[in-house]
Amino acid sequence: MGERISEALHKKLTKRLSFYQDIGIGFFYRDRIPQQSTLASAETTISPAPSLPGVALPKPFQKQQPIKPAGTAPPALPRRDALPVPASASLFEAMNKVADDSLLKIRADLGDCTRCKLHRGRTTLVFGDGNPKAELVFVGEGPGRDEDEQGLPFVGRAGKLLTQMIEAMGLQRKDVYICNVVKCRPPENRTPEKEEVDTCSPFLLRQIDAIAPKVIVCLGSVAAQTLLETNRGISHFRGEWLEFRGRKLMATYHPAYLLRNPGAKGEVWKDLQKVMAVLGLQGRKGSQTGKSS
Ligand code: SF4
């Protein structure tokens, strides 16, 4: 017989496990031991989640593969053992793909979300917008004022620039899917805090899995660092093909950065041309082969 736990702890655990179940987590990794050599070679022990009455857990998950460069001869991504290692196992590593998930179900699971403090300042939760079967998904940081008011991602000045870039690729916004790491506007458009990202990003992961795009484009550091689980600056891997859960991932600058630094538009356009090549968009009517304006 196992050790008995208090009723208060039992309730707390039940509530926490119900939340993890909502977002598709059934098992948990034990924390890494810092002095163990590398992420790539370390054996990670999987501890089954404790069994609680009334909490039916989803099927066990497959251990996620470490990030690795995709393509035939890609520039090397810094090895994960060279990247800063989180102190404990991440939600992403603990998440399994939710069977038969859909954007509608994910939106329903989010509900009138109060899981992190960003809900206090929001007008509208900005879930995402576009083609639920898109081959191309853009991931930004979080809603700004215009997005918060309209409930749609990338509709302000930066959004207009993103729309121009999408159209320059020979696509329309309705062809792609656009979403953010956090779904509620951070006060004064500040960068989302780690706890907010950790709380909200599992829903982003489910969105990506449900859409199953061919290519993910991360717009800016927060999106890239969240999906790649690194603290390294985006300039270290911007423009390189990376892999995220079996999909091609390209990190590039955020359109808001381009508004402040128009000289960087050319770099972003080079990145998007690589995306166009993978999606077979080059030469299509509407696509521009030159530098974006
Ligand atoms: S940012 Fe995400 S986790 Fe936080 S309240 Fe909004 S929807 Fe919920």
Side-chain angles (χ1 to χ4, degrees):
M1 289 287 286
E3 204 176 315
R4 289 187 66 80
I5 59 173
S6 70
E7 193 176 339
L9 180 58
H10 181 280
K11 276 186 183 163
K12 200 172 170 185
L13 277 172
T14 304
K15 194 173 167 196
R16 177 63 61 94
L17 287 172
S18 296
F19 167 67
Y20 284 140
Q21 190 182 20
D22 278 351
I23 59 175
I25 296 173
F27 287 82
F28 303 90
Y29 284 111
R30 187 184 298 166
D31 284 359
R32 294 185 183 90
I33 301 168
Q35 62 269 28
Q36 277 182 341
S37 55
T38 66
L39 266 181
S41 61
E43 287 295 322
T44 308
T45 306
I46 302 171
S47 301
S51 168
L52 288 177
V55 180
L57 297 172
K59 64 181 183 179
F61 65 93
Q62 303 290 320
K63 184 179 174 186
Q64 299 305 318
Q65 294 301 311
I67 304 165
K68 60 184 179 190
T72 49
L77 175 70
R79 283 158 37 115
R80 277 201 64 173
D81 54 350
L83 299 175
V85 178
S88 59
S90 73
L91 278 180
F92 278 8
E93 284 179 321
M95 273 200 70
N96 186 23
K97 185 169 178 171
V98 179
D100 301 323
D101 212 3
S102 70
L103 294 179
L104 279 176
K105 183 171 185 314
I106 300 161
R107 181 64 189 88
D109 288 348
L110 263 172
D112 192 16
C113 184
T114 57
R115 291 175 176 88
C116 85
K117 62 180 181 290
L118 290 183
H119 81 277
R120 294 183 200 135
R122 77 166 177 242
T123 307
T124 320
L125 188 153
V126 182
F127 180 65
D129 185 43
N131 181 353
K133 299 286 178 201
E135 287 199 320
L136 175 58
V137 168
F138 288 94
V139 181
E141 178 178 315
R145 189 185 55 200
D146 295 313
E147 291 77 14
D148 178 60
E149 285 172 1
Q150 297 182 43
L152 292 169
F154 283 91
V155 288
R157 281 182 67 220
K160 286 188 173 60
L161 180 55
L162 176 62
T163 303
Q164 286 173 2
M165 295 193 291
I166 291 168
E167 289 172 354
M169 296 173 77
L171 296 169
Q172 296 180 14
R173 276 181 69 118
K174 66 179 175 55
D175 297 322
V176 304
Y177 194 85
I178 306 173
C179 56
N180 286 303
V181 173
V182 294
K183 314 300 186 200
C184 302
R185 182 193 181 195
E188 309 303 323
N189 291 350
R190 66 159 168 76
T191 303
E193 294 170 1
K194 183 179 182 309
E195 190 184 341
E196 295 157 357
V197 169
D198 287 349
T199 306
C200 203
S201 53
F203 294 96
L204 166 66
L205 195 66
R206 282 179 61 187
Q207 285 175 293
I208 292 171
D209 280 343
I211 296 165
K214 206 166 175 182
V215 176
I216 302 159
V217 173
C218 290
L219 300 168
S221 294
V222 172
Q225 290 173 340
T226 299
L227 292 187
L228 297 173
E229 295 186 90
T230 178
N231 293 324
R232 288 178 74 98
I234 190 171
S235 58
H236 290 278
F237 48 83
R238 199 220 91 240
E240 297 177 11
W241 279 119
L242 304 169
E243 185 182 296
F244 176 72
R245 290 164 72 91
R247 308 187 191 291
K248 282 178 159 296
L249 183 149
M250 173 74 69
T252 194
Y253 295 128
H254 194 286
Y257 174 82
L258 298 182
L259 291 175
R260 298 190 301 272
N261 303 277
K265 283 183 184 177
E267 296 304 306
V268 171
W269 184 238
K270 281 184 203 159
D271 300 343
L272 294 182
Q273 284 182 307
K274 292 179 188 172
V275 173
M276 290 163 64
V278 166
L279 296 178
L281 294 172
Q282 280 170 326
R284 260 180 61 161
K285 189 181 175 190
S287 64
Q288 311 290 310
T289 52
K291 195 174 171 181
S292 65
S293 58

